[in-house]
Amino acid sequence: MRKLKTIRGMPDIFGNTLQKISFVEEVCRKTFHAHNFQEFRTPLLEDKDIFTRSVGETSDIVQKQMYEFQDKKGATLCLRPEGTVGLARALLTNGLDDSEIKKLFYIGPMFRYERPQKGRKRQFNQAGIELIADESYHADLEVIQVGVRILKDLNVKFKLEINYVGDVQTLSVYREHLRDFLLKNKTKIAEEFYQRLQRNPLRGLDSKDENIKAIFSKTKKLSDFLDSNQEQKFKSVINGLEALGIEYTINQDLVRGLDYYTGTVFEFITDKLGTQNALIGGGRYDTLLMDLGGKKLPAVGFALGVDRLAELVNPSHNDKFLFIGSLTSESKEYGQKIGSILRELRPDVVIENYLGEANVSKQLKKASSLGFKFVMIIGQEELKSKSFKVKDLNNSNADFLIEENNLAEIFND
Ligand code: AMP
């Protein structure tokens, strides 16, 4: 039989890693709700065409990262590589593309055929928000505030980098400028790189290749192509960040890899994860809904890399409350009854009914290694007296007795 294996870049997730991922997702969900964003779920599969039209024909995602296939009727579908386009499509197909302001969020897996490495997988989880139908800079600030709140709540140090990419027109003029500039520097660039950059010249700006970096440092910046109206909009965002006390750095080379961005773009980065240093990426995409065939509806949002963030967090385990051990089959059954009464009183704490066979000292060790606060072990005597000794595993002087008819006392401080 062939050896069983997981698909490259798509590891199974369990144990400590899963605990951290769930913790990040919980904090995201809580913060999204606190800012009154509503959940929206779209399918994992979409028509490939919607990504080609919006993310951009020359983007890395469309060029090489899509998991695409033909279904039984020959339609070209793909596993979603990101969440924004599917959500924009859903607003159009559900008739939700009116001018009412909408605040939506999603959490779920995305798929990209990238070279797997630390911080980069082929199936990974993103939590994202989209603020639709608000063109004001306040919407940009609201979205950035949510990102700041999440990272602070997770106790993760970050740097916010921000830039302003103008509109479709500005970007197209800037691309042409870069293409001319590339042509003048053709001899200094390897042919394969050169062709790729001619197709998508913006990629040269955030290239990690030292030669490309050096060449691009000598050309004009995107900011030289902004008109006064665009400069003013960017200024409002920057002033807003200062008023909110949010630290930022302007990174003039930040353009993001997807074509649909217009206006403000930003990334929250860390210096703790090596080259894959982006934790959250986002910005404004005022023409995406129109590109998909709808009307022009301004929008701004971000996507947060759940798996990457999970590598930086330390969830506390203090919710493991009581380990109920037992010494006979009869006491095990009785222990399950006690467990269910206690869970009804406090559904928020973790109570383990130990089902294995082991002597008292092994059960105590087990409770301690699993991180429980209290342990009670039920044997013949406890079964008769209906009174139990509760051991505090962090403080041996704090043991106490409780009885079946006043079990709630275990929750007293
Ligand atoms: P993007 O949609 O490319 O702007 O990505 C937004 C965030 O998702 C990034 O800042 C990363 O934290 C995360 N991310 C993107 N691609 C991957 C990947 N292949 N594996 C893990 N996380 C990723």
Side-chain angles (χ1 to χ4, degrees), residues 230-296:
Q230 293 167 334
E231 280 173 350
Q232 190 47 47
K233 277 191 182 160
F234 190 31
K235 216 170 188 161
S236 305
V237 177
I238 294 298
N239 290 342
L241 288 176
E242 286 182 2
L244 289 168
I246 298 174
E247 283 179 32
Y248 63 89
T249 310
I250 296 177
N251 175 356
Q252 294 203 315
D253 292 333
L254 180 69
V255 283
R256 318 262 307 116
L258 322 178
D259 268 12
Y260 56 65
Y261 285 108
T262 53
T264 310
V265 290
F266 59 85
E267 265 180 7
F268 289 82
I269 57 174
T270 171
D271 56 9
K272 298 272 180 305
L273 287 178
T275 48
Q276 301 306 316
N277 63 352
L279 299 171
I280 300 180
R284 197 159 258 294
Y285 52 95
D286 287 346
T287 54
L288 175 61
L289 280 116
M290 196 171 65
D291 293 343
L292 291 174
K295 53 177 178 268
K296 190 163 187 274

Side-chain angles (χ1 to χ4, degrees), residues 59-252:
S59 66
D60 281 354
I61 288 191
V62 170
Q63 284 276 311
K64 49 187 186 193
Q65 297 174 352
M66 301 270 256
Y67 275 94
E68 57 180 275
F69 65 98
Q70 313 263 305
D71 74 3
K72 288 186 198 294
K73 289 215 164 129
T76 306
L77 307 183
C78 72
L79 283 167
R80 61 182 189 189
E82 55 92 87
T84 302
V85 174
L87 203 136
R89 191 271 311 140
L91 292 177
L92 300 181
T93 43
N94 290 287
L96 297 170
D97 53 333
D98 52 82
S99 52
E100 198 72 37
I101 292 178
K102 292 179 189 62
K103 292 158 78 179
L104 304 168
F105 78 85
Y106 59 84
I107 299 182
M110 307 295 161
F111 305 83
R112 292 184 196 169
Y113 195 82
E114 296 190 82
R115 193 170 59 78
Q117 54 181 277
K118 186 173 157 56
R120 208 203 260 177
K121 299 195 292 179
R122 288 181 173 176
Q123 177 173 334
F124 57 98
N125 297 289
Q126 282 187 339
I129 55 174
E130 315 293 354
L131 206 166
I132 316 287
D134 187 340
E135 65 180 343
S136 76
Y137 69 90
H138 303 286
D140 302 25
L141 292 172
E142 173 84 11
V143 165
I144 291 172
Q145 261 190 312
V146 176
V148 170
R149 183 73 268 141
I150 291 173
L151 296 178
K152 285 198 170 158
D153 283 356
L154 289 170
N155 217 358
V156 167
K157 284 213 175 65
F158 62 87
K159 211 167 106 182
L160 169 64
E161 293 199 337
I162 189 159
N163 195 17
Y164 196 90
V165 298
D167 56 15
V168 179
Q169 180 64 20
T170 321
L171 280 166
S172 138
V173 172
Y174 188 50
R175 274 196 200 93
E176 274 323 301
H177 159 78
L178 289 178
R179 285 197 179 102
D180 284 348
F181 171 77
L182 278 164
L183 187 61
K184 285 186 196 124
N185 288 277
K186 188 166 190 239
T187 50
K188 297 183 204 146
I189 307 172
E191 180 64 18
E192 183 201 347
F193 263 143
Y194 179 79
Q195 291 306 339
R196 217 182 300 155
L197 285 171
Q198 275 295 355
R199 276 197 301 274
N200 188 359
L202 294 176
R203 284 321 306 265
L205 297 173
D206 55 10
S207 170
K208 301 214 156 86
D209 181 279
E210 290 304 328
N211 179 40
I212 305 287
K213 263 199 223 169
I215 294 169
F216 270 75
S217 69
K218 298 202 177 67
T219 189
K220 283 188 182 173
K221 298 288 179 198
L222 183 49
S223 54
D224 298 322
F225 292 77
L226 299 181
D227 64 28
S228 58
N229 187 22
Q230 293 167 334
E231 280 173 350
Q232 190 47 47
K233 277 191 182 160
F234 190 31
K235 216 170 188 161
S236 305
V237 177
I238 294 298
N239 290 342
L241 288 176
E242 286 182 2
L244 289 168
I246 298 174
E247 283 179 32
Y248 63 89
T249 310
I250 296 177
N251 175 356
Q252 294 203 315

